[in-house]
């Protein structure tokens, strides 16, 4: 069965803290993604990675960075958390970029920055 | 990206088939139609996808019109646990971006 696991479901962090959101997939997928989902704005792509140590900016990369040191793991980093980064963060993965390959999502991480 | 249009909400009786329509009149030849659903506070769950032919899996059936300008997701025997927001998405070839619209809120009622 397909599995994308996000390490934390709910986090509360203070403004200015460095935040790490971890994601692991067990499907040997090439591509991994980080989205955020906000009411009325839908899902927005932050970053994606198509290979180990490779990354590409999505639509809203400002204030975020990512790390992919191993194929199965993709981390999202908030260097200095701000209140406007309060959101639901979704990790996803797919076998490749071909559109016939399904993108699978994790359960989501709810981040509140106070 | 091709745009999709879905009704904002639908009701369905438990045990009956739920038929969720989607219009995607600007779809291109190599673009797949994907369906996901999202239950409150959870990540989107993949349901099914197709290119030209009708598709069926253990969760649902996908009927795509011959001109590919619309499709219908069918949940054959809806249960209360199928209450969710259902998203119809057209995915561009070699595209990593999934553009989720507002979706259809399906309420399954006993």
């Amino acid at each position: 069965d397909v599995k994308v696991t996000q390490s934390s479901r709910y986090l509360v962090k203070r403004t200015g803290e460095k935040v790490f959101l971890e994601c692991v997939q067990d499907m040997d997928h090439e591509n991994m993604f980080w989205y955020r989902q906000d009411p009325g704005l839908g899902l927005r792509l932050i970053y994606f990675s198509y290979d180990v140590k490779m990354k590409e900016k999505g639509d809203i990369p400002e204030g975020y960075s990512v790390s992919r040191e191993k194929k199965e793991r993709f981390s999202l980093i908030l260097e200095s958390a701000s209140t406007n980064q309060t959101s639901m963060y979704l990790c996803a993965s797919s076998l490749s970029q071909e559109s016939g390959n399904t993108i699978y999502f994790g359960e989501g991480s709810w981040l509140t920055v106070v | 990206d091709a745009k999709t249009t879905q009704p904002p909400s639908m009701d369905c009786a438990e045990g009956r088939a739920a038929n969720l329509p989607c219009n995607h009149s600007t779809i291109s030849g190599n673009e797949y139609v994907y369906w996901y659903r999202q239950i409150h506070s959870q990540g989107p769950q993949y349901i099914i996808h197709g290119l030209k032919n009708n598709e069926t899996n253990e969760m649902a059936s996908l009927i795509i019109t011959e001109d590919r300008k619309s499709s219908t997701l069918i949940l054959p025997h809806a249960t209360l646990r199928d209450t969710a927001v259902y998203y119809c998405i057209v995915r561009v070839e070699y595209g990593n971006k999934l553009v989720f619209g507002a979706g259809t809120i399906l309420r399954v009622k006993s």
Side-chain angles (χ1 to χ4, degrees):
Chain A
D1 212 13
V2 170
K3 196 73 174 174
V4 178
T5 304
Q6 296 183 227
S7 56
S8 303
R9 282 283 278 150
Y10 301 97
L11 307 94
V12 180
K13 298 292 182 181
R14 295 193 180 277
T15 300
E17 272 194 81
K18 191 169 186 176
V19 181
F20 292 86
L21 299 179
E22 307 285 346
C23 175
V24 176
Q25 50 92 5
D26 64 359
M27 299 163 284
D28 201 34
H29 282 174
E30 302 279 339
N31 286 229
M32 295 188 75
F33 314 85
W34 277 105
Y35 289 83
R36 64 177 281 178
Q37 185 175 24
D38 301 285
L41 296 176
L43 270 75
R44 293 180 290 169
L45 182 63
I46 304 171
Y47 268 98
F48 71 93
S49 168
Y50 52 89
D51 203 350
V52 175
K53 297 190 186 295
M54 306 302 286
K55 61 185 179 185
E56 292 281 343
K57 293 180 179 179
D59 296 322
I60 51 163
E62 296 78 20
Y64 304 94
S65 62
V66 290
S67 172
R68 193 163 180 204
E69 296 297 318
K70 294 184 178 181
K71 190 176 187 179
E72 67 270 19
R73 188 178 298 270
F74 193 37
S75 303
L76 180 69
I77 304 152
L78 286 67
E79 296 289 343
S80 178
S82 62
T83 55
N84 64 11
Q85 292 179 310
T86 292
S87 186
M88 180 177 182
Y89 290 87
L90 290 160
C91 177
S93 74
S94 72
L95 182 62
S96 75
Q97 293 188 54
E98 292 181 18
S99 59
N101 293 131
T102 301
I103 294 178
Y104 295 96
F105 287 85
E107 283 296 300
S109 298
W110 289 90
L111 172 66
T112 301
V113 182
V114 298
Chain B
D1 298 340
K3 184 178 172 59
T4 62
T5 304
Q6 299 177 253
S9 65
M10 293 180 63
D11 290 337
C12 178
E14 189 177 21
R16 303 297 294 267
N19 296 281
L20 292 92
C22 179
N23 287 323
H24 31 79
S25 58
T26 60
I27 193 169
S28 299
N30 295 321
E31 292 176 331
Y32 281 77
V33 179
Y34 276 80
W35 283 84
Y36 286 80
R37 71 181 182 185
Q38 191 169 23
I39 297 167
H40 184 62
S41 300
Q42 297 182 19
Q45 179 188 20
Y46 166 75
I47 302 173
I48 199 167
H49 73 281
L51 183 62
K52 296 178 182 177
N53 299 321
N54 298 337
E55 302 288 344
T56 296
N57 63 20
E58 66 278 3
M59 287 182 69
S61 295
L62 174 61
I63 309 298
I64 302 174
T65 58
E66 194 169 338
D67 62 8
R68 301 187 72 237
K69 292 185 177 182
S70 65
S71 61
T72 301
L73 178 74
I74 302 171
L75 307 178
H77 305 287
T79 70
L80 297 178
R81 288 184 294 180
D82 291 322
T83 293
V85 181
Y86 286 77
Y87 297 100
C88 168
I89 299 154
V90 172
R91 185 176 174 195
V92 300
E93 191 172 18
Y94 295 104
N96 285 309
K97 188 190 301 185
L98 287 180
V99 180
F100 283 67
T104 296
I105 299 171
L106 175 68
R107 299 184 190 92
V108 180
K109 300 183 176 181
S110 57

